[in-house]
Each structure stands twice: as C-alpha cells, then as structure tokens.
Amino acid sequence: MWFEKIVAEGLSHTSYMIGSGGKAAVVDPRRDCDIYLDLADRNDALITHIFETHRNEDYVSGARELAHLSGAPIFHGPRMDFAYGNITHEGARFIIGTLEISVLETPGHTEESLTFVLADTEVSREPYMVFSGDTLFAGDIARTDLAGPDQKAAMAEKMYASITRKILSLGDGVILCPAHGAGSVCGEEIADHPFSTIGYEKHTNPVLALGHDTFITRRTAESPYLPPYFRQMEKVNREGPALLVEFTRPYPITVTEVTSRIASGCQIVDVRSPTAFAAGHIPGSLSIWGDGIPSFAGWFLDYNRPIVLIDDFSGNLAPLFRHFSRLGYDNTTGWIAGGFPAWYRAAQPVEMTGTCSVQELKDLMSREKPFLLDVRDKKNREQVGYIPDSVPVYIGELEQHIPEIPKYRPVFVYCDSGYKGSLGVSVLAMHGYTEVTNVLGGMQAWVRAGFAVEH
Amino acid sequence: MWFEKIVAEGLSHTSYMIGSGGKAAVVDPRRDCDIYLDLADRNDALITHIFETHRNEDYVSGARELAHLSGAPIFHGPRMDFAYGNITHEGARFIIGTLEISVLETPGHTEESLTFVLADTEVSREPYMVFSGDTLFAGDIARTDLAGPDQKAAMAEKMYASITRKILSLGDGVILCPAHGAGSVCGEEIADHPFSTIGYEKHTNPVLALGHDTFITRRTAESPYLPPYFRQMEKVNREGPALLVEFTRPYPITVTEVTSRIASGCQIVDVRSPTAFAAGHIPGSLSIWGDGIPSFAGWFLDYNRPIVLIDDFSGNLAPLFRHFSRLGYDNTTGWIAGGFPAWYRAAQPVEMTGTCSVQELKDLMSREKPFLLDVRDKKNREQVGYIPDSVPVYIGELEQHIPEIPKYRPVFVYCDSGYKGSLGVSVLAMHGYTEVTNVLGGMQAWVRAGFAVEH
Amino acid sequence: MWFEKIVAEGLSHTSYMIGSGGKAAVVDPRRDCDIYLDLADRNDALITHIFETHRNEDYVSGARELAHLSGAPIFHGPRMDFAYGNITHEGARFIIGTLEISVLETPGHTEESLTFVLADTEVSREPYMVFSGDTLFAGDIARTDLAGPDQKAAMAEKMYASITRKILSLGDGVILCPAHGAGSVCGEEIADHPFSTIGYEKHTNPVLALGHDTFITRRTAESPYLPPYFRQMEKVNREGPALLVEFTRPYPITVTEVTSRIASGCQIVDVRSPTAFAAGHIPGSLSIWGDGIPSFAGWFLDYNRPIVLIDDFSGNLAPLFRHFSRLGYDNTTGWIAGGFPAWYRAAQPVEMTGTCSVQELKDLMSREKPFLLDVRDKKNREQVGYIPDSVPVYIGELEQHIPEIPKYRPVFVYCDSGYKGSLGVSVLAMHGYTEVTNVLGGMQAWVRAGFAVEH
Amino acid sequence: MWFEKIVAEGLSHTSYMIGSGGKAAVVDPRRDCDIYLDLADRNDALITHIFETHRNEDYVSGARELAHLSGAPIFHGPRMDFAYGNITHEGARFIIGTLEISVLETPGHTEESLTFVLADTEVSREPYMVFSGDTLFAGDIARTDLAGPDQKAAMAEKMYASITRKILSLGDGVILCPAHGAGSVCGEEIADHPFSTIGYEKHTNPVLALGHDTFITRRTAESPYLPPYFRQMEKVNREGPALLVEFTRPYPITVTEVTSRIASGCQIVDVRSPTAFAAGHIPGSLSIWGDGIPSFAGWFLDYNRPIVLIDDFSGNLAPLFRHFSRLGYDNTTGWIAGGFPAWYRAAQPVEMTGTCSVQELKDLMSREKPFLLDVRDKKNREQVGYIPDSVPVYIGELEQHIPEIPKYRPVFVYCDSGYKGSLGVSVLAMHGYTEVTNVLGGMQAWVRAGFAVEH
C-alpha cells in the first residue's frame, strides 16, 4: 500500500491519501486539490473514493472539487442535509485494492461524524490505521459545542461514547490519523506530533484520563471561541462549495489601481512582519502574517468585499491565496505589485504605529499607567499568567469590545509574541486609535525578562 | 524590460513574453499557457496584450485560452475570417510600459501574417527586436505553399517583398525572434541557434542569398510535405480553439481496462525507444518516441478515437499529453499504469518485430535481396545519399504507399537513426506485415561504417 | 517535535531525522547526506547527534560523511572494532530539545545492534517511537546469519531475547521505525507499510507468532543469500568509509571515448528496460534496470574496475550514481552521452538477445525441449511454484553455476516478471552464450495465462 | 549549439555557457559553480574550456573552483601575474564541437582584458556572438579607472581602441554578450536588456556617440566610487581563490549562542526590509536587504570577523550566503534560528530607529531645520535633483564622513527609495546616533509628491 499525509499549513488540517492496486482514496480533501491528482499520477493510481469524516466548519471541503476533477464519488455521514455526495453508514465496507475501509458512526463533534478504519488484507484483517476526523486527536479531543449551547451535554455524551466504545477499542497498536494537528482551531491542546496510536493516546492524552462525569461536566461548562466564519463554512459545506475553476487567479495590481479599489471598498491585508507593519503601512490595512491567515482572517474579513494583499519587497503572493480559498473567500483580487516599497515610493499616505520592548514597557509602567491590552486567548492567559493591570480581550473578539478601550490614551497591545499583537494594533488603528503600540515579544519576553507575572 | 523565450520542445515552437512597468505582452502563445501566467506573477506584471503573428497550422493557438485566463485582448492580422480576437494593421502601435510595439504586415506564409517590431523607448526609438513569426527564421524562411498549389508563385512574391522590403530593412543590429527553431516542420533548414540578428541572417542565411528570380522559381517548384492535421489546425485556429479547462486530465488505466478500450477503438501510442518496441509491444500500437509526438502524431492519429499511451517501467505520462493538447487532440484518455511490464506480466499478447545493425544488413544484402524501405524525407535522402536499392517513401506518407510494399517478403526499414524507422515498422505491422526489421542507426550508422552510399 | 522519514529507494533503507528546540538527530544516515543538512536548514536546527543502530552490511554508512559535514558526534554500539565514532551502551540517554532518546542493546542481527527509544517529554515520558534498526521490521525480522554459520543458533537466541524482552515490552502503542522497508535484502517478507506499531506487529507479524523453539530451529536452518559485496560493506563500515567529497562527479563520455575505456576494462551497466536490452545492446554489458542496482550490482560488479552506465534516449544519469555510492562503488566514471542511440548511430557493434511471451514459450515447449532457467530466489519458487522442467539457479549465484548451463542449446531465462530475467540473459551472453531468451512476464504471466505450475 | 546565460542576481554578473558536440565552454564562471556542472550534465556535455575575460575586481572568480571540479583548463589574458591558469593571446583559436572561439586582446578595463568571438562553423565562419567581458556593455562601457589615477588617460585610450577597432568592427549583426547587466557596480548606465547587438549599440549607446577626444577627456575626469573590497578581489583573483569545498556550510544558530558571538566580535547583517528594521533590530546590526548584499556588503563588512544574518519570521538563509561567497567572505557563520521574533521573544535588547513619509518630512521642514542626509550617488543626485538643504554623502563612503554629521540633532536619511536609507540609518546608529530617521520612498516619493526639487 502507499500512504500520504497532506498537511495544510496554518489550518493544521490533515488529509490522507491511501492507495493499493491502482486505486486510491482521499480522506477529508482540502479545496485546492491538485495535490491529490498529482499523487495519484505519481502512484499510477485512479482516485476511486472520497471520504469525509464530517461536515467541516473551519475550512471549505474539497470533496466536491475533487469529485469534479477525478470523477470519484463522495461518501459522508447520515443525519445531515448534504446537498451532494452519498450517505454511508456504520458497518459499510469499501475495497481499494488490498485495503478494506470500514465505517464507524462517531457523533460528538458533529451529528454525522464518521471514523474510517483501515485494514490491509495483504497482511491481516486487523485494524491498521484509523482516520478519526474531528473526534480523537493526538493529545486532545475535538470540540463538542458546535451544535449550540443547549446541545453541549448531549454532544459531550455522544463524543464520550464514540471515543471510548468505538475508537479506543480498536486496539492499542492502531495508528491514529486525525484531521488536525497542533495549531488547529479545532483543538487547543493538540500535540505537535507527526502520528500517534491508540495506545499512546490512552497513556498520554489528558482528556482520556478524565472519568465520564468529569468529562461531561467540563465539556458542558466550556465555551471555546467561535469564529464568525464557521457558520459560513457549515452552510457552504452542507450545500456544496463552488468550484475553484469558476474563479479567476489572483494577479498583481499597481499602486494607482489599488488606490481606487480602496476607495470602492476593498480590504487590504498586510502580510508583513509586526515590525515592518509598525514602521509604516497603508492606513486601514489589517496586519495578518501569512501563516496567520487561516486562523485569523475569518474573524475580521468580510466575504463580500474584495481582498488585496501587500508584502515587503515585491511580488508573487499567489501561494497565499490558497489560504483564502480554503476559508471560502472567493472574492479576492490579488496583490500590490512591488509590495510596500511601491506604495511609499509613490508618495502614498503612510501610517505608523508603535513598537516597544518589554524593558521599555516596564520602565514606562513605573512612570505612568498605560492601557495594557492582552489579546491572548483565555487558556494562555490562565496557564502563563499576565502582566499586572492588563485587560484581557481575545483578539478574535476585539472588534466587539472596542467601546471598552479608551481612545485618547496610549494603548499597549500584547500577545504571547507579537503577531496577534500587531493584528490587534491594526484593528485599533482602523477604528481611529492613534497611539497604539505593539509589545515585541509579548508575554514570552516579559517572562524571559523576569518581570512580575500575575495569575 | 524583461524578456522570456518559451520553447515548446518537439514542435520547436517559440513564444515570447516581454514586459515593462507592470505590464506584459505574449507573442504567439502555446495552448498550455499556465507558463505565461506564472511568468507574469513572477515579474509582478499583468498580461495586457496577446499578439499572434499568423493563423498557425502546425499547432493549436493558445491565444483564446490565454485571453480567457488573463482577460487580455488578442491581436492578429487582417484578411482572415477569424471568429475571435481583434484585427490590427500595418502601422498600429501598442505601448507596454516603456516598450513600443509596431505592426508590419508581412504576408507570404499566410495572407494575414504580421511582424511585430519592438523598441525600448527607455533606451531609444530604434528597433531593438523583431518578432518575425513564420517569415524569416534563423537560417531559413517559412514555407509559402500553404495557400494551395495555384497560389505558390503569388505567395512567394509576397514573402520576398515582406522579407526584403520590411524585415531586412529594420537594420542589421536588430535581434530576430522567429516563431520556430531547429526541428520545426515549418522550416527544414532552421539553424540550431538560440537567437539571431538581421545582420547575421543577411550574411549567412542561404535563402537570402538567392536573387529574386531564383527565389521565386525555387519556391514555386517546391512541394514540402503537408501533414494531414494541418487542415484541422487551420480550421481550429480560425474558429477559435476549445478551452482546455473543459477537458479532463489524462489518468492511469489498468491493463484490464485498456484491453476493453482497445476493443472499442482506442489508439495505443508506444513512447518507448525503438529497441524496446522491437523486442515486444502491444499488437496494433504505433511507435512514436515522446519528443517525436509533435512531428509525427498528426500524420497518423485519428482525432475521433481516444488515445492511450504506454511507456517502459511505469507511470506518469501526464507531461506528454501537453504535446497532444498542442496538436488539438482533445480526445485523450491516459496511460497504461505500470507501463509495458504490466502488460506482459498480465500475459497479454505481445508482438515482436526485428532490429538489425548496419553490419548485419550489409551481410544479408550480400546473400539475398531484402526489400529496403527508406522513410527519410526527400531532402535528407538527397543530401546524405541512400543505401543502394532502397525504396524511398517518406514516413508521413507511408500509409498511402502501403500497396507498393511487398507483404510476404522481409522488409527492412531505415531512417537517419532509428526512430522514424521504428515508427515505420509499427505502421507496417499494423497493416499485417509480419517480417519487418528496423535498421538501428539507419543512414548515420551506414555512413559511419563506411558502406557504399548512392546519390 | 518534527520528524522525517527518508527512504533510499531500491535499498529500501530508511533513515530518520527528529528534531526539537533547534536541535536534530539522524538515525542511520545514508552516505549521500545532503538531504539531512537541507532538512536541518529547513527546520532551523543544528544536527547534534548521529545514531547508528548497527554496522550495516548492505550499504555504506553515511555517519562519517555526515559527521564531517555537520560536526555532530556519532554513536554506535559496543563489541565491534569501529575505527571511528563513539560507543554507547544500554541505558544511555540523549536529550534533543524536549526529546529523550534512550538506548537498548539488542544483539541478534549483529553483535552490537542498538535500538533507540524516543519519548517526547513535552507530552509524556512514555515511549513514543522506537528506532529498531535491523531487529524488528514490519512483518518480518532481520536476518541472524551474518556472524557466520557456527554463530547462527547463538545469534537467533540473542535476537529472540532482544525482540521479546526489550522491544515488544515497550508497549503496543509505540510506533515502530525500522531501518528497512519492503524490498530490502535484509528481510524478504517486510510488509509494504509506511509505519507500524508494536501492537500491530504482535498481532500480524508471522515471525512473532512462532514459539521460542520453532523460532530458533527455523533461524538456525535458514541460509539466506549472501551477496559478495556484504563483506566489503562490513569492512568499510567498521573502518570508516571514504568521504564523498574526495571523489569526482560522474560525467558524460562520448561513444568514441567509451570504446577505449571498454578496451581497458571498464564495466558497462545497461539500465534500460528488458525489451530495450534484448533488441540491441553493447556486447559485454550487464542489464540492470535503475531501481535494481541497489539489489543486484553488488553481486556482479567489480570494485576495482570503473563503471559506465548507458540508458535509452540521452543523458543525465547522475542521479543513478547515488546507488553506486551507497554500495561503496567509488570507482565510477559516468554515462554514455546520447544513450544507446549514440552507440548504434556510430555503427558500433550491437548484440541482440531474444524475448518471448509465455504463450510462445508454451508453444515451443510442446514441440521441443528448451533449457529453462529459473533465476528467482528459492522462496518465490517455493511459494508460487515453477514452470515444469525448469532449473533453478538464483540470479545472484548465476556466475558460479555457469558450468551447469548448456552452451550450445537455446536457453530461456525467466524470473517473476522479466527484469532479473534480463540480467540473467546479459550474464549468460557475457559468458559466450548466443541463444538466450528472456521470457517476458516470467512466472507472473505464466500463472496469469493459466498454464500448468509445478510445486 | 546550445547556449545558456547565467545571471548572478545582485552582482548583475553574467556568465555564459556554450556547447556543441558533447563539449562545453564557460565564460567568466561565478564561484558557486554547481550550475555549470548541472547544465553540462543536462546537455550531455563535458566542460572542456574555461575562459576568463579579465581579472575581476567585483567578485571572486569561479574559474579555479570550476577547474577543480571539472578538470577543464582555464584561459586568461597576458600581462597579469596570475598564479594559476593558462595565458592566451590575440589570434588564438579554440574548437568546441562546431564552435570556434577566437581571442581578441582588448585592454582598457584591465590590462589583460580579452574578448572572445564565437562563430558556429556549422552555419558560417562569420562572427555570431561576442563575449565582451568588461569592455562594451549594453548602453554603457566599463570603467577605466581601476589601474590607478595616473593610468586613467592611458587606459581610456586603450579602451577606445579596443572597442572601436576590434569590437565594433565585428559587424552590426553580432550578438553582444557582456559580463554585466543593469545594476552592476561596473557600469552605472547599463541598460536593462536581455541581449544586445553591435549594431544596436552603435545606434543607441551614448558613450559610443562621443568622439575620441570627448571620450578621453570625460574618462580621465571621472572618478567612479571604489568599494574597498575591490582590492581584496583583485588580489584573490590574481593569486587564485580558495576552494569552496574547504569551507563549512552556514547553519542556524540560537539566540543564546549569537549573543556570545556578538560579544566576541561577529558582525550581524539584518536582511529585513527598511520598515522592519526601523521598528526593532539588534543593536549594532547593519541593515542590508538580501539583493543589496552584492553591492553594499563590500563597503562595510570586515573580512576577518564572522558574519551572522538575521531575517523576519524564521530561517533558512542558506541561499543568501552565495552572495557572500561571491564577494570572498569565507568567514561566515550562519543565521539566527527563528529570525528576529526569536530575538525579541527572548527579551534581548531591541533598538528602534525612525521612519517618516515625505509629507511628514515636508511638514517638519516647515517648522524646524532637521539635518538632511542624501546618501545617493553623485549621478543620481545630479540627474534627479535633491531635497533643498540636504547634504550629500554617498552611502558607501558614509563611515569616512561621520565627523561631518551632527550627533545630537535629528538626522533624516534619504536615498532614492528607502533601502540605502535604511543602511545609512544603521551605520549611523552603530556610530552612536540616537535620533535617526529613514525617509520612506526617498527622492522618488518626494518627486511624486510634487515637492520642490533643487539641482
């Protein structure tokens, strides 16, 4: 058999491709799916099955696109009003060469979540790998709050049953292939591991160490952040995403051209580093570094207004548009030719914001009382502690909390390092704040410098 | 300015891309035109003009495809019933950044042929480069017979005027960028040179050394080979080629699957080497090595029957399908997974043909009188000479001459080296010849061995 | 942590690279080790440890080369007179960022074999992965005969203890990372699996299902093939291989040049397909397809005579020389520019051998009694059966059995498909056999054709 | 024939490779010369000749390295005490397949400068291409001041003779292949053209339009900038550069490690953008963007102190070290793993400098009198004009002019866009200036904004 693990960076989404005897299956394809066709070609195989572990909410499914390009049928779970593909059920079996894939219904993350169990009959009928989608991850399990607040207890019960009765019982030696790795918004504690096994998770996954009651209580009490774009993804993935071939490629646009596009409502995303952004940027632009797009674009960007990117030096940002495509932003335009230098060479207006080191911040705090905004998530704040007197507002929810942040007083924004801090600075600047500073190194630097931390 | 020369191997077709100030133009794009979009991205430029020197007859124009993908307008010449694009005329000028492109009408190869003259006004208004399409090549000029036998003299006159009055007069220092390089079917004597200049051609191009009368007389007397697919290309390029996005990718098919496709009429093209073909092949398959597809597929393959490729070892022949796409063969299927070994491992019928060295042939000829078929073109036969008693039939016209070749007597096929020989062998085998042998090394080896050559 | 599995195709040798916190370790590096330096760069890490599971006998260790290029120390096992590197022992621990590697002494394949157990302390101190070298493979275990016939029982006992007491007891959920995958000469039954786990092996590995006594009895009785180059590798790997930087790159040589090199003793390896070889080749050349070099070159090629390769079409065989370098063939020259066509175009002598289909062989056998040579290994012959009246001589040992093969009678060589058959044909031709034929498809085709099989 | 033009970006150095009949020659190889070996492999050719047009002073010649790797002999000109290679003279001829290269002695730039004239005898004995080294460029000619102030008139005379009598007389249609393109320090007015011809230069090159006397007068009066590293290059290229295989690869180093290296004297080069540098950098670091290294590193960096690079985001700066290697900086170490974020996350000291837009500068100038430093070269200042009251100090000579720049007053640095401005800011900061600001967009923005320009 052959096996490929395909990681979509940033999203930390993992799809898998397995093949045998000239046939191949793809589990949870991403939307930009040329990679699957290339792998099929390289392995002299035809894609014959597309499996979806569940209706995703954090990215646009590539199943419909891949079905269009390969002709292969899509299989997903029951109890969901999918407008495309085929429904499959517990106990169904699929044959790909010597491989046998059998289906488990494992609700919990969503109602129709499936888990696919792979055996390679050339060796044995024993389970070899399990594609667990968004149920069991390495070091964590998937969130169970998406069905709504009143369904939390019920979904937690389902997840508990799915994992303990169906997945863990497959055997300790089974290789675990989940749909997300470390860094995903679908599980905050996912380990940074290339692979795991049922046995390793039994021994090390802290969530599995909780008894049934604690598991349910905690899950019911939790309210993970919910990016607004999730609802859009759920809708799109139920109804069937638009095909990428219908959209034009992003292209370079000149500074002159972009000024008129800004006037008519386009959104500028600045993908440079936090320092580069601070020392000069287009007024009204949003600061999100390239790898941050998958996690943060969906909190801030409007699906109806075109998107234009800007980088340092020059050119070719085409690869970054994969991120937008995966999030369903199909209304993109391109990037500014020549990058930010082209902008300032053309004497266009430049806005500056501040940066400071933790030492400077400490000094300042000994003299005056700046407004200190902590944009990290709750968990990080709890685990690591925080700078005294800082006000917590999670970066994703910053726009809703604007009224609570004083406008005519210097604001210092910090996160764990400086990237989300820069995003926060850009959001505030967009809302008219004029004295905003990003604390370089954020909490990491503060701790390293040995300054006082509160909990 | 930036400049890129893009060579489509096999066809020896050359397209050009030039850019300045964030804009770019493409001259004579090929049909698989992602390369132009990638180059535009890399140069932070937008494609704003697509120029066609003439309605091609040896490949499918990529102008319509590129216009579809880039949004740029197409410009071609007058006096042709194009169903798409814009007509431009002598004296028209186009601006791309600091570049100025002006149009010359240079009929001869076709009635509407254009030549584009480039000046870089940043340096000077002097002509810098000339995109001469199919008029003046390095070392040769384009054929003038395509308008039909009765138009030969008239077209030769037009070509003479176009070259001598318009192109040569641009100045010796002008860089010549023609639409074809060595190996093209559009000019047999094209030099294997990366670039040329007007001055170098004046000094070295033998056709330019002929006086007017000799030029016309020779041209009128000549009848270059006319591959049957030319008529299809002319039609397609006048009416506007289908868009590639409408077709599915080629894919691997299994031996079992291919047997049923053969039964229902698909054409097998064997892209292995002449020796590999001889020692075993699928009965009924056509032997054309990969780089030979552009030159020879159009003589033998049916546009209406699907095409399947087979190679040695295994897999991935996707890149070879670019050749078919350029020739307008859109009814392709894919390739046999696992290559020829998969075929013989499956105990499918294998046909053998012969190979011999020139020494063996010589020996044999001293003892008996084999039928010796010379499939080289006339010019090569005239220039190099031939093996005594061999019968000339140009490979492209072999199928029309089948009745002249004895069926129940050993046939030895030779060309200049062995590739076209193998193609000839495969064509004869397809027509029921059972004792056919490819002379390895062909005329080159015969000459090197020091054997008698007739002229 | 990050993790990379690096497969050396053909050898089916697997090395691993793991990293954390800016440091990285390599387990069992191959000799062409730029890939490790590139991976270190890409992961912003410094190579700090080189681990060797044992003194290899099937390829040249890259440890010394990598130590030279990276400055990292080498660690290998005790009880072996290594002339380089450091000895490490059971219980030693190494720290690479958050990773902890502990050493197990696991003799059996060799006396000093080590197994490395990895824990990622960021998650847990539980074993996460095990680098088992040549002890436990997926679906097989390593050979235990290399210490010599009189040591077989003793080594089998050691292997049994190493596996059952040390490796299997690590826990079912531990991921197994052995030094070889399917196709290696170090284990004939290795499964074609990307990864395995202790638990999966416990359930499915047939060798582990044998009780102690059967295990020892079988192992003591077995005599796997022993390629002659193993002794060279053992010596080289003990003494420390020469550094690659000391050798010149392989380069293209002309046909004229190669003829004089042949005269002075160079060895020609023909890497074309079996069919291509049959229909014409350089007299005296050895037929080994590219991917077959790692497995078969070591049986036939002399370390003291230079090696020249020849392929179809043309050029650039530089990548194939990695195979020779891994086998310790440092006396290589290059490849014939222009490939085999250049040879026959130059009217150089061409030798032909035969091919036939299984149907033709069957026909022939009904009329006469050809000498049928089965060059498959014993296991394949036993498991699949054989063509009646065929004589078994394993391809690797063919040269020693030449006297048993009749010279003046047609010889038909077959293997399982046709590659080793072609190699056998070339060896016989080299020894003066003139009527030698390769049975295309070999035993696979024979079985598929439904012909009688003996056992 | 085949032909490759190899551009070393930044240096704008161009080397050429030509081949025919399995042989190849390289003209003016760069030091990192794997590209020539790869091209030789790809073209099935052996490098048989290495030609040097002159002893370079702006980069380390790759001739010795390439000779070491390929075995080919080196040919350079007479009247120079080279410690390696062979001397060749006017009229010498070299044969590479069908190509004939003949030598012209063309002193002027250096005493031993050669020009190589190429004819492809397959077509004609007429000159086809000319490799003019540092004599005639596209749009300019090479500097003639390097032999020292008292030799300027003499060298100008020689250059005039070399160009007018030897090169221009080759014929208008000859393709010109000089050793530098636009952006080189060896000719300020070189046109941004892929190729030129003798004829095009005759018509458009402004230097060729000067009569003899004006040419000599101007040349004798001119004093182009002379980077201090030129003397090092001249010495190294005369004596024979060290071989690259003798040096270790650059590698990633941690922040902790780099702090101790800084303490012991290493030089930090910050390759981020001007804005990124301004908003935070390592105190004492030099700001040179990646493509600026070839032109500016040689003015500022010490050959005896190790070099460490730092970038945004993370890692892998290995490719940038090619630039240093070409300049002869062999004492390099590597790059800071994790980039600048790793630095500030570790709470290391961060220094800030200022940025401002031209509008802000204009505003400020209406209120106070900042010190305005123009670091552009003389020519740019003359041609474009300057901001009123600005003081010109060319960036390369800034360190010598430090005493003239007021330390306790705000300094605003500008260039044409902002890159050299950032370099200037970093140099001043290194010398203890605390209020230094880079004017974003520099003179380009100032002009675009429509502000007053002085001449």
Side-chain angles (χ1 to χ4, degrees), chain A residues 304-317:
Chain A
N304 299 311
R305 293 162 55 204
I307 294 170
V308 169
L309 303 188
I310 187 159
D311 197 1
D312 252 332
F313 300 103
S314 90
N316 202 349
L317 294 180

Side-chain angles (χ1 to χ4, degrees), chain B residues 104-137:
Chain B
L104 300 179
E105 292 183 15
T106 49
H109 177 64
T110 61
E111 194 57 46
E112 35 64 73
S113 285
L114 301 180
T115 289
F116 299 97
V117 181
L118 171 76
D120 183 355
T121 61
E122 194 176 18
V123 173
S124 156
R125 302 197 73 88
E126 282 288 315
Y128 171 50
M129 286 179 160
V130 58
F131 300 97
S132 58
D134 279 21
T135 53
L136 180 59
F137 296 134

Side-chain angles (χ1 to χ4, degrees), chain A residues 1-3 119-120 122-124 126-129 172-175 191-200 203-205, chain C residues 1-3 119-120 122-124 126-129 172-175 191-200 203-205:
Chain A
M1 70 169 284
W2 54 274
F3 168 90
D120 184 353
E122 195 176 18
V123 172
S124 156
E126 282 288 315
Y128 171 50
M129 285 180 162
D172 281 12
V174 175
I175 295 171
D192 185 15
H193 271 177
F195 290 102
S196 192
T197 63
I198 299 293
Y200 191 71
H203 285 105
T204 64
N205 190 318
Chain C
M1 71 170 284
W2 55 274
F3 168 89
D120 184 354
E122 194 177 17
V123 172
S124 155
E126 282 288 315
Y128 171 51
M129 285 179 160
D172 281 12
V174 175
I175 295 170
D192 186 15
H193 270 178
F195 291 102
S196 193
T197 63
I198 299 293
Y200 191 71
H203 284 105
T204 63
N205 190 318

Side-chain angles (χ1 to χ4, degrees), chain B residues 1 120 128 173 192-193 195 197, chain D residues 1 120 128 173 192-193 195 197:
Chain B
M1 70 170 284
D120 183 355
Y128 171 50
D192 185 16
H193 270 177
F195 291 101
T197 63
Chain D
M1 70 169 285
D120 183 355
Y128 171 50
D192 186 16
H193 270 178
F195 291 102
T197 63

